[in-house]
Amino acid sequence: MEEFNSGEEVVFNTDEASVSVKECIEGVIGGTDYNQSKVNQWTASIVEHSLTHLVKQGRPFKYIVNCTIMQKSGAGLHTANSCYWDTATDGSCTVRWENRTMYCVVSVFAVTL
Amino acid sequence: MRLYQGTQMFKPAIVKECIREIVRERLSGMQYDPEEVPELSRSLADCIKDKVKNSGFERYKLVVQVVIGEQRGQGVKMSSRCLWDSDTDSYAEDVFMNDSLFCVVAVFGSYYY
């Protein structure tokens, strides 16, 4: 495929992905309050838009995008991940976002083909 | 899609069982403690990654995500989307709950050609 940078070492660009994901989150839930009936479609939208933006970059990666939305109720939430991959080329980035009524955590993992 | 000789496909059922055993063993009877949970989620992720690695999926790159949260009656929603080769790649997940906390584990396996 002509869009791929064949022949050079490709590394996952975490900053670019971070910015891209943040925009997606703002676009879907920026300015809204937690709504039980809409959460399903919000997480699906955030994840699909993020994935589409990542794919548009045209890099030779497989992607896994994960989104968690939690209502603010004083409870704590922790996420951890452990990965077995090629540390030279693969990478991940996690974006934390919050507003008055909810937290949103999006993780993107990219592994080379 | 043919795999290299001697390697097996990612089997979600087996991986789900790996996750279940470890989570139930480590979290049964545990209370949510904000001091311990960060370390607990990290070590759970590493434990699960090592167990799955040793279950015979040699050609697979793995991503293990562990989310632990306090139970306070709030709403939580977690979604994932992946851009990968559905002939070879797959995932397994499990949810554990007790009165004090909930734990969601997702393991994604991506075949390395």
Side-chain angles (χ1 to χ4, degrees):
Chain A
M1 293 189 118
E2 310 86 59
E3 309 100 72
F4 287 176
N5 307 326
S6 46
E8 336 172 334
E9 196 56 37
V10 201
V11 181
F12 180 58
N13 188 336
T14 43
D15 300 319
E16 219 181 309
S18 233
V19 167
S20 192
V21 165
K22 222 178 196 156
E23 280 170 17
C24 289
I25 301 177
E26 280 292 330
V28 176
I29 52 178
T32 55
D33 283 342
Y34 183 84
N35 186 338
Q36 173 74 9
S37 56
K38 295 218 177 115
V39 160
N40 267 349
Q41 87 200 47
W42 284 341
T43 50
S45 288
I46 291 173
V47 160
E48 272 159 33
H49 291 169
S50 301
L51 202 50
T52 314
H53 279 230
L54 288 165
V55 167
K56 277 204 188 128
Q57 291 170 9
R59 304 230 171 88
F61 284 109
K62 289 183 181 180
Y63 296 103
I64 292 158
V65 182
N66 192 41
C67 169
T68 304
I69 294 187
M70 185 170 96
Q71 189 178 19
K72 271 194 175 172
S73 67
L77 181 79
H78 292 264
T79 60
N81 48 60
S82 182
C83 308
Y84 176 61
W85 57 26
D86 182 347
T87 48
T89 52
D90 304 331
S92 67
C93 89
T94 304
V95 178
R96 277 161 289 275
W97 183 95
E98 65 179 282
N99 70 8
R100 207 176 47 92
T101 54
M102 57 187 167
Y103 295 108
C104 177
V105 183
V106 177
S107 299
V108 177
F109 302 93
V111 296
T112 45
L113 302 171
Chain B
M1 171 73 60
R2 272 209 322 243
L3 308 184
Y4 287 115
Q5 237 183 13
T7 59
Q8 57 165 331
M9 283 279 289
F10 189 87
K11 298 199 177 90
I14 296 186
V15 177
K16 186 175 173 117
E17 206 36 55
C18 285
I19 302 175
R20 249 177 188 208
E21 269 172 39
I22 297 181
V23 170
R24 266 141 191 72
E25 182 193 316
R26 301 280 301 270
L27 295 186
S28 288
M30 266 258 173
Q31 298 295 305
Y32 181 87
D33 178 354
E35 310 283 308
E36 284 179 20
V37 166
E39 194 39 50
L40 178 61
S41 49
R42 241 171 307 209
S43 90
L44 255 180
D46 285 330
C47 235
I48 294 174
K49 180 203 64 180
D50 290 332
K51 181 139 197 201
V52 176
K53 194 155 71 96
N54 297 330
S55 296
F57 308 112
E58 292 105 19
R59 294 296 304 191
Y60 279 89
K61 289 186 174 179
L62 301 169
V63 174
V64 176
Q65 179 142 36
V66 172
V67 179
I68 299 185
E70 196 181 352
Q71 282 256 43
R72 281 227 198 159
Q74 80 277 18
V76 191
K77 179 77 183 171
M78 180 159 136
S79 308
S80 296
R81 278 288 182 291
C82 309
L83 180 81
W84 58 22
D85 181 349
S86 52
D87 290 334
T88 52
D89 306 333
S90 188
Y91 77 99
E93 38 84 39
D94 195 39
V95 181
F96 170 84
M97 285 195 286
N98 68 16
D99 297 321
S100 156
L101 55 79
F102 67 88
C103 174
V104 182
V105 179
V107 177
F108 304 91
S110 163
Y111 192 77
Y112 184 61
Y113 302 112

